[in-house]
Amino acid sequence: MTNEQLIAKTYLEQLGTIGGEIKARKYAIEKEWKTVVGGMGNGHLTSQISLAPAHGTKKYRWNAENINHYLKLRDEQQHKIQELIKKRNVLMQIIDDIIEVRLRTLLIERYVNQRSWREIARFMKYSEAYTRKELHEIALESFYKILVHSDFYKSRK
């Protein structure tokens, strides 16, 4: 495999993990929110509100530091999620810019849908060896040619 093909493969492999990373970051936001508002322990918003008398909350004021920490974490994670979505969209657009349908199909099946070489070959009606070696290398080269001319790639150098 050439250096160009390895670079293309490195970028494409990110497509399979971006969805998982987005879910993990959303879970981190949710977990932090539950820490702030959930449970009955001291420092939790719901426990302090439920203990607060209707005519005054000075004694049972919830911890603004916890809320600020949550808001900061939420904003950071949401920003990173948006960056990941943009990255995924750019990589998908590069695949979409490949003229040949079979090359686009191979890249989507392998790097987005994460199918095995056997499944891809069967789907595309080629031998597994041809699909894995020759067609894959052609697809990587096509992806690389578009990638290196993109602002996305240039901004990362």
PDB file of all heavy atoms in Angstrom, residues 17-30 81 84:
ATOM      1  N   THR A  17     -15.660   5.488  13.603  1.00  0.00           N
ATOM      2  CA  THR A  17     -15.583   5.767  15.034  1.00  0.00           C
ATOM      3  C   THR A  17     -16.259   7.071  15.444  1.00  0.00           C
ATOM      4  O   THR A  17     -16.532   7.270  16.621  1.00  0.00           O
ATOM      5  CB  THR A  17     -14.119   5.796  15.499  1.00  0.00           C
ATOM      6  OG1 THR A  17     -13.414   6.812  14.771  1.00  0.00           O
ATOM      7  CG2 THR A  17     -13.442   4.451  15.276  1.00  0.00           C
ATOM      8  N   ILE A  18     -16.532   7.937  14.492  1.00  0.00           N
ATOM      9  CA  ILE A  18     -17.129   9.233  14.823  1.00  0.00           C
ATOM     10  C   ILE A  18     -18.487   9.070  15.502  1.00  0.00           C
ATOM     11  O   ILE A  18     -18.766   9.727  16.502  1.00  0.00           O
ATOM     12  CB  ILE A  18     -17.228  10.135  13.573  1.00  0.00           C
ATOM     13  CG1 ILE A  18     -15.836  10.664  13.206  1.00  0.00           C
ATOM     14  CG2 ILE A  18     -18.198  11.290  13.799  1.00  0.00           C
ATOM     15  CD1 ILE A  18     -15.771  11.469  11.922  1.00  0.00           C
ATOM     16  N   GLY A  19     -19.313   8.176  14.989  1.00  0.00           N
ATOM     17  CA  GLY A  19     -20.630   7.965  15.592  1.00  0.00           C
ATOM     18  C   GLY A  19     -20.533   7.533  17.045  1.00  0.00           C
ATOM     19  O   GLY A  19     -21.273   8.023  17.909  1.00  0.00           O
ATOM     20  N   GLY A  20     -19.601   6.641  17.338  1.00  0.00           N
ATOM     21  CA  GLY A  20     -19.398   6.191  18.707  1.00  0.00           C
ATOM     22  C   GLY A  20     -18.894   7.297  19.613  1.00  0.00           C
ATOM     23  O   GLY A  20     -19.311   7.409  20.773  1.00  0.00           O
ATOM     24  N   GLU A  21     -18.019   8.127  19.086  1.00  0.00           N
ATOM     25  CA  GLU A  21     -17.500   9.232  19.889  1.00  0.00           C
ATOM     26  C   GLU A  21     -18.594  10.251  20.187  1.00  0.00           C
ATOM     27  O   GLU A  21     -18.681  10.777  21.298  1.00  0.00           O
ATOM     28  CB  GLU A  21     -16.327   9.911  19.190  1.00  0.00           C
ATOM     29  CG  GLU A  21     -15.677  10.970  20.045  1.00  0.00           C
ATOM     30  CD  GLU A  21     -14.425  11.599  19.437  1.00  0.00           C
ATOM     31  OE1 GLU A  21     -13.898  11.074  18.436  1.00  0.00           O
ATOM     32  OE2 GLU A  21     -13.978  12.616  19.994  1.00  0.00           O
ATOM     33  N   ILE A  22     -19.447  10.509  19.210  1.00  0.00           N
ATOM     34  CA  ILE A  22     -20.570  11.428  19.436  1.00  0.00           C
ATOM     35  C   ILE A  22     -21.473  10.890  20.542  1.00  0.00           C
ATOM     36  O   ILE A  22     -21.859  11.619  21.460  1.00  0.00           O
ATOM     37  CB  ILE A  22     -21.349  11.668  18.130  1.00  0.00           C
ATOM     38  CG1 ILE A  22     -20.508  12.511  17.157  1.00  0.00           C
ATOM     39  CG2 ILE A  22     -22.703  12.347  18.414  1.00  0.00           C
ATOM     40  CD1 ILE A  22     -21.082  12.614  15.760  1.00  0.00           C
ATOM     41  N   LYS A  23     -21.794   9.605  20.486  1.00  0.00           N
ATOM     42  CA  LYS A  23     -22.628   8.992  21.529  1.00  0.00           C
ATOM     43  C   LYS A  23     -21.961   9.093  22.895  1.00  0.00           C
ATOM     44  O   LYS A  23     -22.618   9.378  23.897  1.00  0.00           O
ATOM     45  CB  LYS A  23     -22.910   7.526  21.200  1.00  0.00           C
ATOM     46  CG  LYS A  23     -23.913   7.328  20.100  1.00  0.00           C
ATOM     47  CD  LYS A  23     -24.129   5.850  19.822  1.00  0.00           C
ATOM     48  CE  LYS A  23     -25.003   5.664  18.593  1.00  0.00           C
ATOM     49  NZ  LYS A  23     -25.117   4.253  18.228  1.00  0.00           N
ATOM     50  N   ALA A  24     -20.658   8.861  22.940  1.00  0.00           N
ATOM     51  CA  ALA A  24     -19.924   8.924  24.211  1.00  0.00           C
ATOM     52  C   ALA A  24     -19.963  10.339  24.791  1.00  0.00           C
ATOM     53  O   ALA A  24     -20.127  10.516  26.003  1.00  0.00           O
ATOM     54  CB  ALA A  24     -18.484   8.470  24.008  1.00  0.00           C
ATOM     55  N   ARG A  25     -19.825  11.324  23.944  1.00  0.00           N
ATOM     56  CA  ARG A  25     -19.852  12.712  24.423  1.00  0.00           C
ATOM     57  C   ARG A  25     -21.257  13.111  24.881  1.00  0.00           C
ATOM     58  O   ARG A  25     -21.416  13.815  25.879  1.00  0.00           O
ATOM     59  CB  ARG A  25     -19.324  13.653  23.353  1.00  0.00           C
ATOM     60  CG  ARG A  25     -17.832  13.482  23.123  1.00  0.00           C
ATOM     61  CD  ARG A  25     -17.286  14.429  22.077  1.00  0.00           C
ATOM     62  NE  ARG A  25     -15.892  14.183  21.826  1.00  0.00           N
ATOM     63  CZ  ARG A  25     -14.891  14.611  22.620  1.00  0.00           C
ATOM     64  NH1 ARG A  25     -15.156  15.284  23.714  1.00  0.00           N
ATOM     65  NH2 ARG A  25     -13.637  14.340  22.315  1.00  0.00           N
ATOM     66  N   LYS A  26     -22.281  12.644  24.185  1.00  0.00           N
ATOM     67  CA  LYS A  26     -23.656  12.911  24.625  1.00  0.00           C
ATOM     68  C   LYS A  26     -23.921  12.240  25.974  1.00  0.00           C
ATOM     69  O   LYS A  26     -24.590  12.803  26.836  1.00  0.00           O
ATOM     70  CB  LYS A  26     -24.658  12.430  23.574  1.00  0.00           C
ATOM     71  CG  LYS A  26     -24.709  13.320  22.356  1.00  0.00           C
ATOM     72  CD  LYS A  26     -25.720  12.819  21.344  1.00  0.00           C
ATOM     73  CE  LYS A  26     -25.792  13.740  20.141  1.00  0.00           C
ATOM     74  NZ  LYS A  26     -26.773  13.267  19.138  1.00  0.00           N
ATOM     75  N   TYR A  27     -23.382  11.055  26.150  1.00  0.00           N
ATOM     76  CA  TYR A  27     -23.550  10.343  27.417  1.00  0.00           C
ATOM     77  C   TYR A  27     -22.852  11.096  28.554  1.00  0.00           C
ATOM     78  O   TYR A  27     -23.370  11.177  29.662  1.00  0.00           O
ATOM     79  CB  TYR A  27     -23.010   8.915  27.313  1.00  0.00           C
ATOM     80  CG  TYR A  27     -23.120   8.149  28.603  1.00  0.00           C
ATOM     81  CD1 TYR A  27     -24.350   7.658  29.033  1.00  0.00           C
ATOM     82  CD2 TYR A  27     -22.002   7.938  29.401  1.00  0.00           C
ATOM     83  CE1 TYR A  27     -24.459   6.974  30.238  1.00  0.00           C
ATOM     84  CE2 TYR A  27     -22.101   7.258  30.606  1.00  0.00           C
ATOM     85  CZ  TYR A  27     -23.330   6.773  31.021  1.00  0.00           C
ATOM     86  OH  TYR A  27     -23.436   6.109  32.203  1.00  0.00           O
ATOM     87  N   ALA A  28     -21.684  11.675  28.280  1.00  0.00           N
ATOM     88  CA  ALA A  28     -20.964  12.444  29.297  1.00  0.00           C
ATOM     89  C   ALA A  28     -21.796  13.642  29.745  1.00  0.00           C
ATOM     90  O   ALA A  28     -21.850  13.965  30.942  1.00  0.00           O
ATOM     91  CB  ALA A  28     -19.610  12.904  28.760  1.00  0.00           C
ATOM     92  N   ILE A  29     -22.469  14.289  28.812  1.00  0.00           N
ATOM     93  CA  ILE A  29     -23.342  15.419  29.147  1.00  0.00           C
ATOM     94  C   ILE A  29     -24.499  14.933  30.018  1.00  0.00           C
ATOM     95  O   ILE A  29     -24.807  15.525  31.054  1.00  0.00           O
ATOM     96  CB  ILE A  29     -23.887  16.094  27.864  1.00  0.00           C
ATOM     97  CG1 ILE A  29     -22.751  16.761  27.079  1.00  0.00           C
ATOM     98  CG2 ILE A  29     -24.970  17.118  28.217  1.00  0.00           C
ATOM     99  CD1 ILE A  29     -23.145  17.212  25.682  1.00  0.00           C
ATOM    100  N   GLU A  30     -25.122  13.853  29.595  1.00  0.00           N
ATOM    101  CA  GLU A  30     -26.261  13.292  30.332  1.00  0.00           C
ATOM    102  C   GLU A  30     -25.850  12.863  31.746  1.00  0.00           C
ATOM    103  O   GLU A  30     -26.566  13.126  32.724  1.00  0.00           O
ATOM    104  CB  GLU A  30     -26.818  12.099  29.558  1.00  0.00           C
ATOM    105  CG  GLU A  30     -28.001  11.420  30.206  1.00  0.00           C
ATOM    106  CD  GLU A  30     -28.436  10.195  29.423  1.00  0.00           C
ATOM    107  OE1 GLU A  30     -28.424  10.250  28.178  1.00  0.00           O
ATOM    108  OE2 GLU A  30     -28.777   9.189  30.059  1.00  0.00           O
ATOM    109  N   ILE A  81     -18.885  17.828  19.571  1.00  0.00           N
ATOM    110  CA  ILE A  81     -19.848  17.045  18.778  1.00  0.00           C
ATOM    111  C   ILE A  81     -20.085  17.715  17.430  1.00  0.00           C
ATOM    112  O   ILE A  81     -20.098  17.048  16.390  1.00  0.00           O
ATOM    113  CB  ILE A  81     -21.166  16.848  19.556  1.00  0.00           C
ATOM    114  CG1 ILE A  81     -20.955  15.858  20.714  1.00  0.00           C
ATOM    115  CG2 ILE A  81     -22.293  16.377  18.629  1.00  0.00           C
ATOM    116  CD1 ILE A  81     -22.103  15.806  21.708  1.00  0.00           C
ATOM    117  N   LEU A  84     -17.166  17.084  15.196  1.00  0.00           N
ATOM    118  CA  LEU A  84     -17.190  15.706  14.690  1.00  0.00           C
ATOM    119  C   LEU A  84     -18.206  15.544  13.566  1.00  0.00           C
ATOM    120  O   LEU A  84     -17.936  14.867  12.570  1.00  0.00           O
ATOM    121  CB  LEU A  84     -17.493  14.728  15.825  1.00  0.00           C
ATOM    122  CG  LEU A  84     -16.379  14.530  16.843  1.00  0.00           C
ATOM    123  CD1 LEU A  84     -16.907  13.819  18.088  1.00  0.00           C
ATOM    124  CD2 LEU A  84     -15.224  13.758  16.235  1.00  0.00           C
TER     125      LEU A  84
END
